[in-house]
Amino acid sequence: MSDRETIGVIGAGAWGTALAQMLASDGRAVILWAYEPEVVAAINAERRNPLYLPSAQLAPGIRATGDLADLAALDAVLVVTPAQVLGRVLAGLARPPRDLVLCSKGIEAGTGRLMNHVARDASPGSAIAVLSGPTFAHEVAAGLPTAVTLACEGGRNQWERLAPAIARPAFRPYYSDDVTGAEIGGAVKNVLAIACGVVEGLALGQNARAALIARGYAEMLRFGETLGAEGETLAGLCGLGDLVLTCSSTSSRNFSLGKALGEGASAAALMADRRTVAEGAHTAPVLADLAEARGIAMPIVAAVDAILKGADARKVVADLLARPLRAETESDARDIEA
């Protein structure tokens, strides 16, 4: 695509709005689809998204719409809807775009499918890419430096179309062809961020959080490699990089949810009251079931699933700490068992 063509963004939550703002920062025209009519009206009339990203004064090149037909002529569309509605929204497109860039992080409940599988069924004919990495929406919207993974199933040819259209001076994509790895990193880190929030809410200290990040990364790696992801991808921006960011700040919705759970709030009340989606809460039960079915040890993910289902957070953490002692690496564990 030409680096001046209009680009589409589906989903006007905080992350979708931030991506639209970043893309429009050099004068490019961006069409931003929003579900809520009041969001469409506010963006077009006031240049703001008061519901999801009130801090940003939006660029004049952004035009909001509530009609997916307005994106029909576009060759590249970024999809930033909640993961659980991605397939339903994409099914409403009048024409599959040439390039579909998935920016939603999660696993589909009920099917266990990654978003790229959902997108292939809902938008046949589109070349799929995944954009993922350590990104807080308000920082991207403010033009602060950000680096991400852009994983292209179409390889270098697709990368050469998309990278110039997406890259900006403060927004730097790095190439990968590992779509599975990019997706798994983003999905699993959301669940682990809830766990780190629980640690914060229980006031268990920085040592505990650092250990949880390291052991959580080991779970991400085991799960990812079992599903065909490359370890190098998961060690990069869309895996370890995203994990470290999301597990360290209340700017993360998933971390904030976990912190509230650790402080004693109920999961049901928190989820019912949240306008913005903490994707990890939807991903945790699916991920826990997939891991169990494949015999993949993911005790931290299982613990988050239990807490979200109502288990006492302190008891769950105590049970984690009481697990049998073992080696840190898989190779050393095999030596001990031998």
Side-chain angles (χ1 to χ4, degrees):
M1 63 180 293
S2 162
D3 63 3
R4 305 308 305 165
E5 283 182 23
T6 301
I7 195 165
V9 178
I10 297 178
W15 183 217
T17 303
L19 284 170
Q21 175 75 344
M22 178 274 296
L23 291 167
S25 63
D26 66 347
R28 172 187 289 273
V30 177
I31 299 178
L32 175 61
W33 178 87
Y35 176 75
E36 301 90 343
E38 64 270 29
V39 171
V40 174
I43 291 173
N44 289 334
E46 305 168 21
R47 299 286 94 204
R48 292 191 180 277
N49 184 340
L51 284 183
Y52 297 112
L53 198 64
S55 63
Q57 180 69 40
L58 300 180
I62 298 172
R63 177 171 73 86
T65 181
D67 188 353
L68 285 172
D70 289 343
L71 285 74
L74 304 184
D75 284 332
V77 174
L78 279 63
V79 188
V80 206
T81 65
Q84 303 309 319
V85 301
L86 183 140
R88 186 162 70 249
V89 173
L90 288 183
L93 288 173
R95 179 186 72 89
R98 182 180 186 183
D99 290 300
L100 202 57
V101 184
L102 307 181
C103 309
S104 307
K105 299 174 180 178
I107 302 174
E108 189 177 55
T111 68
R113 294 188 300 172
L114 297 175
M115 294 297 98
N116 71 84
H117 299 136
V118 175
R120 285 192 188 96
D121 287 345
S123 185
S126 295
I128 306 297
V130 172
L131 187 150
S132 187
T135 50
F136 283 151
H138 65 279
E139 293 193 7
V140 171
L144 296 177
T146 302
V148 296
T149 299
L150 181 61
C152 301
E153 71 168 11
R156 290 283 179 179
N157 288 337
Q158 187 181 23
W159 161 262
E160 289 170 3
R161 290 197 304 271
L162 289 175
I166 291 174
R168 296 292 182 274
F171 193 85
R172 182 178 178 84
Y174 282 81
Y175 171 73
S176 172
D177 61 3
D178 183 10
V179 169
T180 297
E183 280 220 64
I184 287 174
V188 176
K189 67 90 188 179
N190 281 337
V191 180
L192 299 175
I194 295 174
C196 281
V198 170
V199 166
E200 179 75 8
L202 292 172
L204 297 180
Q206 300 301 311
N207 292 350
R209 182 164 66 183
L212 192 150
I213 290 172
R215 296 310 304 159
Y217 174 67
E219 293 189 19
M220 177 190 292
L221 196 60
R222 282 197 294 270
F223 183 81
E225 291 183 335
T226 299
L227 270 65
E230 298 172 10
E232 187 175 6
T233 304
L234 296 171
L237 290 163
C238 59
L240 183 59
D242 204 0
L243 177 65
V244 170
L245 179 71
T246 315
C247 289
S248 305
S249 172
T250 52
S251 292
S252 159
R253 294 189 294 269
N254 293 286
F255 183 91
S256 296
L257 173 63
K259 184 173 183 291
L261 291 170
E263 291 169 344
S266 78
L270 289 168
M271 294 303 292
D273 192 43
R274 296 178 76 89
R275 176 178 284 274
T276 55
V277 178
E279 287 286 6
H282 300 291
T283 301
V286 186
L287 184 57
D289 287 347
L290 290 172
E292 183 178 6
R294 288 165 171 77
I296 305 168
M298 301 186 80
I300 297 171
V301 169
V304 171
D305 182 38
I307 293 169
L308 288 168
K309 290 174 177 172
D312 179 76
R314 285 196 178 276
K315 183 178 185 309
V316 170
V317 171
D319 289 344
L320 268 179
L321 294 173
R323 296 174 68 239
L325 300 179
R326 52 156 292 161
E328 182 172 15
T329 68
E330 297 300 313
S331 59
D332 285 342
R334 287 192 292 270
D335 289 344
I336 289 174
E337 291 165 1

